[in-house]
Amino acid sequence: MRKLFTSVMLAGWWLYALPSAAQLDCTVVVNTPEDQLMLAVNGADGPQDQVTALDQYAAAHADSKFMPCVNNFYTTAYLKLNNFDKAVEYGEKDIAANAMDVNLMLNLLKSYVGAGKASDTAFDVINKIPKQVKVETSTGRPAKMSDADWAKAQQDTATQVKDDRAYAEYAFFQLLPRVTEPAKRVQDLDAFMQAYPDTTNVGQVNYQYFVAYEYAGNPAKADEYGEKAIAADPNNVEYLDAVANDYANRQTNLDKASEYAKKVLELAPAAKKPDGATDEQFKTTQNNILGLAHVTLGYVEYQGATKTRKVAGAIQELKAAAELLDANPELQAKALYLLGNACEFEYPPNHKAAVEALTRAASLQSSFKAPSAELLAKVKKAAHMK
């Protein structure tokens, strides 16, 4: 008999998708169709040639017990080709047949992330990773293995387990925002926490709960998890920005909204560019973060000026926001709409500045387009009457 592991070791680039013997037995007998397939796969010049070899085998041996292994290899080959839909198609065949394997599951998750597919199966795979990792790494110490070799093997296993779980958690946070139904997001978060009770991403989990409950219109829960997220990661500008904006929009805690937004303005300029991000991408992200903080502060200032009609502080903040948010039409339009309101609200009204701001807001494709146009017409009428 020829074990697939030996063949794969000779073709190193295929090792990436080697299935574990714990679940998939891909041992082949010499001079069988399966042996010929693996020789063709391991000798292929690239993943497209591998797909061709797999196609030929599948066409001739569709009922073979070796097909779970074939599906596994299809998944890896199509992932290497960036054909994520095909990779998902074949990977899910094994999942449906309960042919679990950590490498298959990770390749499938990479395909889900690449395709942007947040399906129930995707989350089910994520939640099964910890258990499957434990199954495949629960092996006893081999006979005659030295203490040093055993210690090294355990260390290597621990590192691999950590990496496997880390990618599964990464995939979860990449896919969760694609779940559009708030209640479903909460369910997915609950299931994730059952599978990963020891996650180190507590702040991110709480932040995603905050987002889900905010969308669901459950402000009490949103506040609870927003504060938990900030408590877990006090200097995370994304959390601070979002929670501050939520407090301001609902006018529930303007003091904290102001506190958190000001902290964003202190922290964001000193943030380090993430690995892999271009200077332009990083600048855009920073501008959006800073712009939202200025919008929040402008709105808080505006609310505080309802009696005094002194809105100079609000106008200053909203002007700063509008200049920073060129890459975000929705937020920029919000800043300009609020700016138009503030200019018209001050005493005496600054019709000209209000018209300029509202004209810009009405020109942008956003949820503020119609309200801006409506207010613009009223301001123009008031200015003409004067």
Side-chain angles (χ1 to χ4, degrees), residues 1-282:
M1 297 181 70
R2 175 186 288 129
K3 287 186 177 292
L4 175 60
F5 181 77
T6 304
S7 301
V8 172
M9 285 295 288
L10 296 176
W13 70 275
W14 184 258
L15 180 61
Y16 179 78
L18 177 68
S20 166
Q23 289 297 317
L24 291 177
D25 182 4
C26 294
T27 302
V28 298
V29 178
V30 176
N31 294 327
T32 62
E34 291 73 32
D35 180 41
Q36 296 304 311
L37 169 64
M38 295 320 304
L39 288 172
V41 166
N42 291 319
D45 291 332
Q48 186 58 60
D49 289 341
Q50 289 186 329
V51 169
T52 299
L54 292 165
D55 285 344
Q56 293 172 351
Y57 177 88
H61 307 280
D63 297 329
S64 170
K65 294 181 179 179
F66 198 68
M67 282 305 296
C69 296
V70 172
N71 293 332
N72 194 345
F73 302 145
Y74 265 128
T75 301
T76 303
Y78 278 122
L79 175 60
K80 289 180 178 292
L81 290 168
N82 291 328
N83 189 336
F84 304 121
D85 289 339
K86 277 293 187 181
V88 167
E89 175 188 339
Y90 283 99
E92 286 189 345
K93 288 182 179 181
D94 275 359
I95 297 300
N98 203 33
M100 296 294 180
D101 171 83
V102 171
N103 286 320
L104 167 69
M105 295 163 81
L106 290 173
N107 285 342
L108 187 51
L109 289 182
K110 291 173 184 178
S111 302
Y112 285 129
V113 171
K117 289 188 173 181
S119 64
D120 287 344
T121 303
F123 290 113
D124 188 52
V125 170
I126 289 170
N127 294 333
K128 287 180 177 177
I129 285 283
K131 182 178 180 180
Q132 189 63 29
V133 165
K134 185 176 292 186
V135 168
E136 295 185 19
T137 57
S138 297
T139 56
R141 177 174 175 170
K144 299 182 180 180
M145 177 175 278
S146 68
D147 291 344
D149 287 343
W150 177 237
K152 180 64 166 58
Q154 287 182 306
Q155 181 180 3
D156 291 345
T157 297
T159 299
Q160 188 61 54
V161 167
K162 182 178 179 181
D163 290 344
D164 292 345
R165 284 175 54 107
Y167 186 81
E169 293 195 40
Y170 166 81
F172 176 77
F173 292 118
Q174 289 294 305
L175 296 175
L176 186 67
R178 295 182 176 276
V179 178
T180 57
E181 185 182 345
K184 183 64 169 61
R185 278 201 195 187
V186 172
Q187 291 174 7
D188 289 333
L189 283 160
D190 288 345
F192 175 82
M193 286 305 296
Q194 289 181 1
Y196 297 84
D198 55 346
T199 180
T200 58
N201 294 305
V202 177
Q204 181 72 339
V205 170
N206 287 327
Y207 177 69
Q208 291 301 331
Y209 269 118
F210 158 76
V211 172
Y213 281 121
E214 183 184 29
Y215 286 164
N218 189 334
K221 280 292 186 180
D223 289 351
E224 174 189 345
Y225 281 99
E227 290 296 333
K228 285 182 177 180
I230 291 173
D233 194 353
N235 293 329
N236 188 303
V237 292
E238 181 184 6
Y239 304 168
L240 291 164
D241 228 3
V243 175
N245 183 62
D246 186 53
Y247 281 147
N249 285 341
R250 292 191 286 112
Q251 301 180 35
T252 54
N253 198 330
L254 296 182
D255 288 340
K256 272 198 173 181
S258 180
E259 174 192 341
Y260 291 163
K262 288 177 180 177
K263 191 171 182 180
V264 170
L265 296 182
E266 294 174 4
L267 294 171
K272 294 182 179 180
K273 183 176 69 173
D275 294 339
T278 65
D279 290 341
E280 183 179 358
Q281 289 170 334
F282 180 54

